[in-house]
Amino acid sequence: MRCADARKLMWRAQDSALSEIDSDALNGHLSQCAECIAERDAVTQTMGLLDAWQTPQPTRNYASFLQRVQRDQVRRQKPAFRRWLAGGLATASIVCGIGLGFLTAYPVEQPVPSENELASAIGLHTFGDMIESAIHYDPDSTVGVQNGKEIDL
Amino acid sequence: MQLDNDAELMQRVAEGDESHFQDLFDRHYDRAVAIAYRSLGDLDAAEDIAMEGFARIYEARRSYAPTARFTTFLFRVIVNLCMNAAKRRRIVTFETLDESQSAARDSDPAATAQRKELCDEVRAAVLSLPPNQRMALALTRYEHMSYAESAEVMNISLKALESLLHRAKENLRKKLRHVVE
Ligand SMILES: [Zn+2]
């Protein structure tokens, strides 16, 4: 085993994520390479240091969660009237448009909507959709961020 | 698929018995916050993310189908929210060591100061990693998830996770070299 390979395995060994074969190979290399032993000790120390950063105790609880859910529901209900009004106006304008179309008609090809457009038009949301929708962050949320991009790896 | 206890509770929530959502919340809220905290370095923002994650699952409860462990769903939402928030925040707030962590632990001000300094060094090193490396480290090193589970939660291949972890640790080795030597 080369030193570079041994060093890759050292990091994984810190997470107890080595197979038996890899573990034996690493130990075999360490038994005859002083440089890698020194490196292994430094790696162990580095990983040990990470425990110095502790997570503070959370301050909120289920009551805070329920308050938040209620707040969200109220926020969603408010624009409902405006949505109905907008829907009414949109329907009226479509009816007028169709009427005008009949009066001034000549054949024009209409684009066929995609599956996604159809699915979103009929409100098709599965639990999986919800998970995916989390990739796009809500700009109204309290973290103060704006609509998002996908995870970039 | 064999349902774990969380999935059974979530199934009951989906069927309308919403009282069980509190059990799920109480069971996993702290861990959700911990993951977000390691990613953002700010407790308040981390709690916002955890709340948002639970709220999204609660909103979608009626369409829940136990195709994976409940925690996989939950932590995947948390991870996605964190990745987006971390990218947009750009600068992570460097809060000093939490009072509750430092105060009254002992009466030795020198030891407390030294611990605080080390905590700040580690925190700065971890938070300076790119968000995806930081998240891989948070899940495996701090939350003790297996590589397979972490990869599933991050929605990446096992190989991609291993590569992120390798780069994260190499970076940490460089950033913390002066503390180790
Ligand atoms: Zn060697």
Side-chain angles (χ1 to χ4, degrees):
Chain A
M1 175 182 279
R2 292 176 310 153
C3 291
D5 296 326
R7 287 173 194 197
K8 275 184 193 166
L9 294 182
M10 278 173 206
W11 288 116
R12 295 186 54 176
Q14 295 296 318
D15 292 328
S16 310
L18 277 193
S19 68
E20 209 171 313
I21 295 171
D22 283 344
S23 183
D24 288 347
L26 176 62
N27 288 333
H29 181 83
L30 289 175
S31 69
Q32 50 189 317
C33 182
E35 270 181 44
C36 280
I37 289 178
E39 182 65 18
R40 192 262 325 264
D41 292 346
V43 161
T44 307
Q45 258 186 295
T46 303
M47 294 311 282
L49 280 177
L50 298 185
D51 292 327
W53 183 25
Q54 300 282 315
T55 313
Q57 194 60 31
T59 58
R60 304 181 209 169
N61 54 25
Y62 195 64
S64 334
F65 174 73
L66 288 180
Q67 279 172 359
R68 189 215 145 105
V69 168
Q70 280 166 359
R71 226 177 27 238
D72 285 353
Q73 282 168 351
V74 169
R75 204 167 49 193
R76 269 197 302 267
Q77 278 162 3
K78 271 186 188 164
F81 171 73
R82 268 180 267 164
R83 276 205 300 272
W84 278 105
L85 188 65
L89 287 172
T91 309
S93 77
I94 288 168
V95 169
C96 290
I98 290 171
L100 277 172
F102 274 122
L103 291 176
T104 61
Y106 56 93
V108 178
E109 277 211 16
Q110 293 300 318
V112 178
S114 69
E115 275 180 34
N116 280 346
E117 285 167 333
L118 278 174
S120 96
I122 61 173
L124 188 65
H125 297 299
T126 64
F127 196 75
D129 292 337
M130 178 279 300
I131 300 295
E132 291 311 313
S133 76
I135 291 171
H136 298 283
Y137 201 66
D138 177 8
D140 291 337
S141 86
T142 42
V143 193
V145 292
Q146 293 186 348
N147 261 336
K149 306 165 201 163
E150 296 203 349
I151 296 175
D152 175 25
L153 291 166
Chain B
M1 180 189 172
Q2 178 78 27
L3 288 190
D4 65 358
N5 184 255
D6 289 338
E8 278 175 23
L9 288 177
M10 191 60 204
Q11 188 89 60
R12 288 195 216 163
V13 172
E15 288 159 4
D17 189 355
E18 290 173 9
S19 63
H20 290 295
F21 201 72
Q22 178 165 7
D23 298 333
L24 289 165
F25 182 95
D26 289 343
R27 207 175 277 181
H28 301 296
Y29 177 70
D30 285 7
R31 203 155 175 229
V33 171
I35 292 171
Y37 179 72
R38 298 294 183 192
S39 174
L40 303 173
D42 178 273
L43 180 62
D44 204 39
E47 292 208 65
D48 282 339
I49 293 276
M51 286 278 170
E52 175 73 16
F54 275 99
R56 288 192 186 226
I57 291 195
Y58 184 77
E59 280 163 23
R61 63 194 179 282
R62 300 261 183 249
S63 57
Y64 173 72
T67 51
R69 290 168 62 176
F70 173 80
T71 47
T72 304
F73 282 128
L74 172 66
F75 296 147
R76 191 177 284 181
V77 175
I78 299 293
V79 164
N80 287 339
L81 292 172
C82 285
M83 300 296 268
N84 289 328
K87 276 187 172 181
R88 252 159 262 108
R89 284 163 73 88
R90 301 277 176 217
I91 302 158
V92 181
T93 318
F94 282 79
E95 58 183 26
T96 52
L97 183 61
D98 190 3
E99 291 295 317
S100 61
Q101 287 182 53
S102 59
R105 187 178 285 174
D106 58 39
S107 53
D108 183 350
T112 305
Q114 206 175 9
R115 203 164 36 234
K116 179 190 174 304
E117 196 181 329
L118 181 60
C119 174
D120 286 348
E121 295 257 20
V122 171
R123 176 202 185 87
V126 174
L127 291 177
S128 69
L129 296 173
N132 47 10
Q133 290 180 24
R134 207 156 68 211
M135 185 55 79
L137 191 79
L139 298 178
T140 55
R141 178 62 179 72
Y142 284 113
E143 291 308 312
H144 308 290
M145 282 187 199
S146 70
Y147 282 15
E149 191 183 3
S150 304
E152 196 181 2
V153 164
M154 289 184 75
N155 205 16
I156 58 177
S157 69
L158 196 57
K159 229 177 166 53
L161 178 95
E162 286 175 355
S163 161
L164 284 177
L165 278 174
H166 186 72
R167 280 182 279 151
K169 290 168 179 176
E170 289 288 353
N171 283 333
L172 284 177
R173 171 97 172 86
K174 284 179 207 147
K175 288 171 199 287
L176 293 170
R177 195 182 289 273
H178 64 288
V179 186
V180 171
E181 279 161 2

